[in-house]
Amino acid sequence: MALRLLIPDAVWSTLEPLLRESKHAAGAPPRLSDRLVIEAVLYQARTGTPWRDLPDEFGHWNAVYQRFRRWEKRHLWARLRSLIEFKFPTSPRVKFIVPVTVELVAL
């Protein structure tokens, strides 16, 4: 399956510095690129597919999900959205999907 990527290069060049500065120096570098993780989150939000069913081209689903959660806990998604809204205030082609997770509750 060929991936359909959504993040234009102009938007990525705006997001990349914020992601780079938010990284921790400790530990090994991640195997998945930040851009691919964001593309995977956008794919999941767009299609509604369960995390476990993400296409293999995005990497292991749990690696994507764990980074999604770490960024959510650090409020990085809100910072990314604010940055996009500031840099591209009137562009109809640049939209940002606020990731939302759904918890299943056993009845």
Side-chain angles (χ1 to χ4, degrees):
M1 172 177 129
L3 289 178
R4 193 172 101 195
L5 303 178
L6 298 176
I7 304 172
D9 290 339
V11 173
W12 178 247
S13 65
T14 301
L15 300 179
E16 187 177 29
L18 178 62
L19 292 166
R20 198 176 325 118
E21 78 182 29
S22 70
K23 288 188 185 292
H24 291 282
R31 292 181 183 174
L32 298 176
S33 73
D34 292 336
R35 188 173 188 167
L36 192 58
V37 169
I38 292 176
E39 291 284 1
V41 170
L42 291 173
Y43 178 89
Q44 193 275 339
R46 187 174 73 246
T47 64
T49 189
W51 289 105
R52 288 178 183 264
D53 294 338
L54 281 175
D56 293 336
E57 290 85 355
F58 289 119
H60 194 274
W61 72 270
N62 195 44
V64 173
Y65 177 72
Q66 292 303 324
R67 189 141 8 140
F68 165 81
R69 293 287 295 147
R70 275 196 308 273
W71 289 357
E72 189 176 86
K73 287 179 183 177
R74 288 193 229 151
H75 306 285
L76 187 58
W77 293 111
R79 291 170 40 211
L80 290 172
R81 180 180 180 170
S82 295
L83 181 61
I84 288 173
E85 289 173 349
F86 176 74
K87 293 282 188 173
F88 305 96
T90 59
S91 176
R93 295 190 66 216
V94 178
K95 303 275 185 212
F96 193 80
I97 298 171
V98 178
V100 176
T101 58
V102 177
E103 294 183 26
L104 297 177
V105 179
L107 299 176

